[in-house]
DNA sequence: TTGTATGCGTTATCAT
DNA sequence: ATGATAACGCATACAA
C-alpha cells in the first residue's frame, strides 16, 4: 500500500518522469522551449499523477518573495473595510498574489504584533489601514524595501503611497449641504480620534467650518469612548437643548451611524421629524432606511491600493503617490429641507 | 554606509553576537536553559539591534508547517461571512496562526484555483465555505493530512468536521411562526441552490412544511438568477395574486433580503402593511428597519470552526464532528399578527 | 536538450 | 554550554 501522507516534491516528479529535478524545474518555469516533446509529456503526466503543486515556501526561500500581500485593517466588521477587502482581493488574485488578512481591532498593540507576524511571513507588500501609532515597527519593513501602501489613514513621518479621500473637502460639502437645507445646530459624533488622521481631519474641518459660519455655539463634537458609552446621555442633552435652529446629527462612520440610529430609536426620537441624520460611509442599508450619506467608494480604494502595491512590486520606484477617491453626497430622506420659520 | 536592504538572518545575528547559528536558534526556541547568561544577553542585543525576525518560510520548510490557515469563503461581501471571518481570526490569532483569506465569489472554478493556491502555500489547515462542487481537488489536501473544516455547507462525500446549523429545523420554526401569526401565503426567495447544501435543505424544508400544512398552492419558491433578475416581476405577480390569506416573503439570506427590500420599496409596496417580511441571517441593520430574522450566530460559527481546526492541528485524530449552532428567531415589526378575517 | 552542484534561512543531529 | 554540518524543496550557474 502506497504511503500517501507526504506531499510530493519536485524530486518525486523527477523520479517518476525519469528525468532530473532541473528539467522538472524548467518545465515549471515555462521554459518549455528547451525541453523535448517526449520529456515534456512525461513530466506532465507525472505531475498529474502525483497531484504535484510546487511549494511556495521553498520557492520563496530562493527567490526571496512569497507572493503574499499583507492587509492589516483596523476593523474587519466595518462594511467600509469589507468593501476595501473585496477590492484588494480582486486585484491581488488577478496578479497571483494571496492576501494575508489581519484585524488590529483599532488596537496599536495588536497592530504592532501583526506587523511582526507579517514580516516573519515575508510578505512582499503591505496594505495598511493603520491605528496610526506604529511608525517605528514599520521602519524595519521599509528598510528591507517592502512596499507599503497606506489606506485611508496617515502614519506620521511615513512617506509612502497613500489611497484616501479629501476629508476636509468632504466634510465641508456635507456641512454646506446641511446648512443649505436649513440645519444650523449640528452635532458631529465620531469614534475616538486618537492617532487616526482621517478622524482628526474631519473634526478639524467641522470646527473650522462652524467657526467660519459663526455657528460654534450651536454645534458640538462628541467622541464615543469604548463600548458602554455616554452616547444616550449626549443625544438626550443635544435633543432637549433649546435651539433657534433645526437640529442635525452627523456621524463619522457607518458603525457610529448604527449606534446613533439605534440609540435614537430607543430614546424615542424620530428621524427626520425630530432631527436630521447624515453620515460618512454608505453602507448598503442606508438606501433602505433612507439616510443621506457621504459615500466614499471603499471598493475602489481597495482596488487602487492593491494596484499601487502591485506596481511597486513590479519595480515602480517613483515618488510616493497620493491617490484620492472622490466622495459623493447620497441625498436621501433623512435630511429634508427645513421650512424657514 | 551600511547596506540595510537585506533582511537580517540568523547568521547575521550569530555573527554580531559572536556565537554560532545553533546557539541563536536555541535562543529562539526558548531553550534558554542551555545558554549562559552572558551569551543570552549578547544574542538578545544583537536581535534588537538588527530588528531580526525569524523567517517563517525557512522555518516552515524544515518543520513542514506554515502556521498559515486558509479560509475560503463564498462571498466576502456578505455580512454573514464577515462575522465568520472575525470569529475565525480571533481564534487563529490567539493560537499564532495567520489567516489566508480567499473569496470564491460562489464560483466553483475560482474556488478550485484557490484551493490549489492555498495548497502551494502549504497551509496547515483549511476552513471552507464551499460552492460544493470541488470534491476532487480537496482529495489532494486530505491525502496529505491537511485538516479541513467545512463551514455551513457540505461537500458531497467529504467526511470531515463541519460547523453549521440545523437548517430544516430553523426553516420549520420560522414558517411555523409565520403561520401562527396568520400568514398562509408565503414566498421563499433564495439565491441559486446549485450545489449548495444549506440552500437546498432550506428549500426542501419549505416545501415539505407547506405540503404538511396543505399550503402548496398558496406558497411558492423563487430562485434569483444572476444579477439582472426577474425579481421585480416575480414580486409583482406574487403581490397582485388574489389570495384568501395574508402574504409573507421569506428571504434566504441577508443579501437577498436587501434586494427584496429594495425592490419592494421601488415597486411601492409597504412592509408590513402590504406584506410581511422575514429573513435568514441577522445583519445589524435588521434591528433598525425592524425586520424579523432567523439569526444564526456567524461569529460563533467562525470561532467553532477555527477551534476545531486548531484542535486537529494539535493532534486530535477523533472521528469527524458535526457542530451545530442554534438559530434564534428575532421577532420584530415586519411580521405582525394578522387579525383573523 | 539535459544534468550536477550549490545555496536560500532555519532546525536537528551529532560532536566537543 | 556551544559549534559544525546536513537537510528541508526549489531554482540557478555551470557543465556536458
Amino acid at each position: 500500500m502506497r504511503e500517501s501522507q507526504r506531499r510530493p516534491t519536485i524530486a518525486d516528479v523527477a523520479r517518476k518522469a525519469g528525468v532530473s529535478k532541473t528539467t522538472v524545474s524548467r518545465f515549471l518555469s515555462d521554459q518549455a522551449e528547451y525541453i523535448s516533446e517526449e520529456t515534456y509529456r512525461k513530466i506532465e503526466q507525472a505531475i498529474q499523477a502525483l497531484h504535484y503543486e510546487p511549494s511556495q515556501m521553498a520557492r520563496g526561500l530562493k527567490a526571496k518573495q512569497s507572493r503574499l500581500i499583507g492587509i492589516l485593517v483596523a476593523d474587519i466588521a466595518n462594511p467600509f473595510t469589507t468593501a476595501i477587502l473585496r477590492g484588494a482581493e480582486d486585484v491581488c488574485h488577478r496578479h497571483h498574489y494571496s492576501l494575508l488578512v489581519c484585524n488590529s481591532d483599532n488596537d496599536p498593540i495588536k497592530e504592532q504584533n501583526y506587523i511582526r507576524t507579517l514580516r516573519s511571513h515575508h510578505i512582499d507588500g503591505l496594505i495598511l489601514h493603520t491605528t496610526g501609532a506604529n511608525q517605528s515597527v514599520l521602519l524595519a519593513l521599509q528598510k528591507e524595501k517592502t512596499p507599503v501602501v497606506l489606506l485611508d489613514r496617515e502614519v506620521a513621518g511615513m512617506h509612502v503611497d497613500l489611497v484616501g479621500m479629501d476629508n476636509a473637502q468632504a466634510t465641508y460639502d456635507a456641512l454646506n449641504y446641511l446648512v443649505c437645507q436649513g440645519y444650523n445646530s449640528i452635532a458631529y459624533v465620531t469614534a475616538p480620534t486618537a492617532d487616526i488622521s482621517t478622524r482628526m481631519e474631519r473634526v478639524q474641518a467641522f470646527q473650522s467650518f462652524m467657526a467660519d459660519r459663526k455657528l460654534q455655539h450651536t454645534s458640538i463634537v462628541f467622541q464615543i469612548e469604548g463600548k458602554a458609552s455616554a452616547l444616550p446621555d449626549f443625544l438626550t442633552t443635544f435633543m432637549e437643548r433649546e435651539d433657534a435652529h433645526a437640529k442635525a446629527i452627523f456621524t463619522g462612520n457607518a458603525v457610529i451611524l448604527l449606534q446613533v440610529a439605534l440609540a435614537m430609536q430607543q430614546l424615542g426620537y424620530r428621524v427626520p421629524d425630530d432631527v436630521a441624520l447624515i453620515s460618512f460611509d454608505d453602507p448598503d442599508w442606508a438606501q433602505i432606511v433612507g439616510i443621506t450619506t457621504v459615500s466614499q467608494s471603499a471598493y475602489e480604494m481597495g482596488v487602487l491600493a492593491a494596484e499601487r502595491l502591485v506596481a511597486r512590486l513590479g519595480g515602480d520606484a517613483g515618488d510616493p503617490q497620493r491617490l484620492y477617491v472622490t466622495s459623493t453626497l447620497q441625498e436621501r430622506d433623512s435630511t429634508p429641507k427645513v421650512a424657514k420659520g
Side-chain angles (χ1 to χ4, degrees), chain A:
Chain A
M1 184 168 169
R2 201 159 91 259
E3 199 189 351
S4 54
Q5 308 228 166
R6 205 171 49 83
R7 269 183 66 128
T9 74
I10 198 171
D12 297 323
V13 176
R15 197 173 317 117
K16 180 138 198 158
V19 299
S20 76
K21 294 193 292 174
T22 310
T23 308
V24 178
S25 179
R26 284 205 185 89
F27 177 99
L28 295 172
S29 331
D30 282 326
Q31 295 172 292
E33 332 137 41
Y34 302 108
I35 303 181
S36 73
E37 286 244 2
E38 166 80 1
T39 307
Y40 190 93
R41 231 182 10 75
K42 282 193 294 185
I43 295 178
E44 203 167 25
Q45 282 174 4
I47 289 180
Q48 286 268 335
L50 297 171
H51 292 284
Y52 169 75
E53 191 82 35
S55 157
Q56 196 52 243
M57 277 172 126
R59 278 192 161 167
L61 194 58
K62 278 247 42 147
K64 290 165 182 300
Q65 53 142 309
S66 59
R67 299 217 72 83
L68 251 29
I69 285 180
I71 181 162
L72 179 40
V73 299
D75 177 10
I76 206 176
N78 190 325
F80 173 71
T81 301
T82 316
I84 285 174
L85 227 49
R86 195 177 160 70
E89 211 268 353
D90 280 355
V91 174
C92 288
H93 183 241
R94 207 171 301 142
H95 293 271
H96 305 287
Y97 284 99
S98 296
L99 269 188
L100 222 33
V101 178
C102 305
N103 178 33
S104 73
D105 242 339
N106 273 309
D107 174 357
I109 306 288
K110 233 183 141 189
E111 174 173 297
Q112 181 162 346
N113 285 332
Y114 265 132
I115 294 174
R116 291 229 172 79
T117 303
L118 289 172
R119 198 160 87 95
S120 84
H121 279 290
H122 219 295
I123 51 167
D124 293 341
L126 175 64
I127 298 176
L128 180 61
H129 185 220
T130 188
T131 64
N134 275 309
Q135 305 95 315
S136 61
V137 205
L138 289 167
L139 235 69
L141 271 180
Q142 289 210 271
K143 277 231 176 99
E144 294 150 16
K145 310 289 177 202
T146 303
V148 175
V149 174
L150 260 21
L151 204 63
D152 184 55
R153 306 167 175 180
E154 307 258 7
V155 174
M158 268 196 90
H159 295 195
V160 297
D161 296 324
L162 178 143
V163 175
M165 192 186 68
D166 188 334
N167 287 287
Q169 190 60 53
T171 308
Y172 283 142
D173 291 348
L175 292 174
N176 196 49
Y177 165 77
L178 280 182
V179 170
C180 286
Q181 294 291 89
Y183 301 94
N184 280 322
S185 178
I186 306 178
Y188 184 70
V189 183
T190 176
T193 53
D195 290 310
I196 297 167
S197 62
T198 48
R199 292 183 185 164
M200 294 190 285
E201 285 164 25
R202 290 170 182 184
V203 167
Q204 275 161 20
F206 179 87
Q207 285 165 338
S208 100
F209 178 96
M210 291 307 165
D212 280 0
R213 302 294 179 99
K214 312 279 182 229
L215 293 172
Q216 307 97 311
H217 302 299
T218 58
S219 66
I220 185 166
V221 171
F222 180 73
Q223 204 174 119
I224 292 186
E225 321 270 4
K227 297 274 172 192
S229 78
L231 181 61
D233 285 347
F234 166 77
L235 291 174
T236 306
T237 309
F238 177 69
M239 292 303 294
E240 297 306 317
R241 200 172 69 185
E242 286 296 328
D243 256 315
H245 313 289
K247 291 179 159 74
I249 297 176
F250 189 178
T251 54
N253 68 37
V255 176
I256 305 290
L257 169 61
L258 189 72
Q259 291 182 37
V260 167
L262 235 38
M264 292 302 279
Q265 208 166 275
Q266 275 156 17
L267 293 172
Y269 294 110
R270 309 272 316 171
V271 173
D273 305 329
D274 301 326
V275 62
L277 188 53
I278 187 173
S279 182
F280 273 111
D281 291 355
D282 187 38
D284 46 21
W285 54 273
Q287 223 181 135
I288 301 230
V289 185
I291 294 172
T292 300
T293 62
V294 181
S295 157
Q296 47 181 334
S297 174
Y299 177 84
E300 194 192 346
M301 286 177 69
V303 167
L304 288 176
E307 281 177 344
R308 204 78 276 293
L309 200 53
V310 169
R312 292 293 179 194
L313 293 173
D316 176 349
D319 288 339
Q321 294 187 15
R322 307 188 82 69
L323 269 36
Y324 291 99
V325 300
T326 56
S327 64
T328 320
L329 192 77
Q330 302 283 355
E331 199 175 342
R332 303 204 180 92
D333 299 340
S334 66
T335 53
K337 192 133 192 136
V338 176
K340 288 263 175 180

